[in-house]
C-alpha cells in the first residue's frame, strides 16, 4: 500500500488494526519510496498500542521504542510474514505515538523519529516462539 499523507498513515493503521485478530497483532514494514532497504520502520499495531523498530544508516542494528512506564519481563509478539517477532515488554507504546512516529519518519525523509524514546534492540530478540 502506498502511503503519501498523514491521513493515509491513519487510514493504514486503522485498517491493519481493524483487520488484525486480537491474538495476532500485525507487524509491517514502512519504507520510503525509492529507498526500500537502507532505512525503515517495523511498525506493530495492536489494540490501542504498538511497537516501532527503526534501522538506518545511523542505527544499522536497530533500535526499538521504549515505554518507560511499562513493566514486565515477558516479550510481546507481533505477527510478521508467517512468523512471530518478539519485542521487549517495554517496547509497547500508545498507538498515538506509533502514528506520530510513522508520520515523522515520512515527513523527515526517513530520519529516526524523535517523538518517541528509543532503546538499542536487544541481542537475542526472539522470533516469538
Amino acid at each position: 500500500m502506498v502511503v503519501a499523507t498523514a491521513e493515509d498513515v491513519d487510514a493504514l493503521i486503522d485498517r491493519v488494526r481493524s483487520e488484525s485478530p486480537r491474538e495476532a497483532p500485525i507487524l509491517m514494514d514502512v519504507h520510503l519510496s525509492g529507498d526500500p532497504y537502507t532505512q525503515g520502520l517495523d511498525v506493530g499495531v495492536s489494540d490501542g498500542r504498538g511497537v516501532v523498530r527503526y534501522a538506518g544508516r545511523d542505527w544499522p542494528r536497530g533500535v526499538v521504542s521504549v515505554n518507560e512506564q511499562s513493566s514486565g519481563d515477558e516479550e510481546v509478539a507481533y505477527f510478521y510474514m508467517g512468523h512471530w517477532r518478539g519485542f521487549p515488554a517495554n517496547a509497547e507504546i500508545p498507538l498515538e505515538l506509533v502514528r506520530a512516529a510513522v508520520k515523522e519518519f515520512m515527513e523527515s525523509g526517513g530520519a529516526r523519529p524523535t517523538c518517541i524514546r528509543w532503546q538499542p534492540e536487544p541481542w537475542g530478540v526472539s522470533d516469538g516462539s
Side-chain angles (χ1 to χ4, degrees), residues 60-114:
R61 293 189 176 149
V63 289
V64 295
S65 50
V66 62
N67 182 345
E68 294 172 346
Q69 298 166 1
S70 176
S71 60
D73 297 328
E74 291 192 31
E75 286 186 343
V76 293
Y78 286 76
F79 199 68
Y80 177 71
M81 297 183 71
H83 68 278
W84 291 96
R85 172 83 195 275
F87 292 89
N90 71 343
E92 284 192 309
I93 58 175
L95 196 55
E96 290 311 310
L97 286 175
V98 172
R99 292 176 192 273
V102 175
K103 292 172 187 177
E104 185 179 341
F105 176 77
M106 288 176 46
E107 292 166 359
S108 70
R112 181 171 53 120
T114 60

Side-chain angles (χ1 to χ4, degrees), residues 9-28 42-52 65 67 75-80 84-85 87-89 91-99 102:
V9 170
D10 289 330
L12 172 64
I13 289 174
D14 290 343
R15 180 178 174 189
V16 170
R17 188 171 158 216
S18 70
E19 292 179 6
S20 300
R22 174 168 254 185
E23 64 278 358
I26 298 297
L27 184 69
M28 60 187 152
D42 295 333
V43 179
V45 176
S46 188
D47 190 27
R49 63 194 185 288
V51 297
V52 181
S65 50
N67 182 345
E75 286 186 343
V76 293
Y78 286 76
F79 199 68
Y80 177 71
W84 291 96
R85 172 83 195 275
F87 292 89
E92 284 192 309
I93 58 175
L95 196 55
E96 290 311 310
L97 286 175
V98 172
R99 292 176 192 273
V102 175

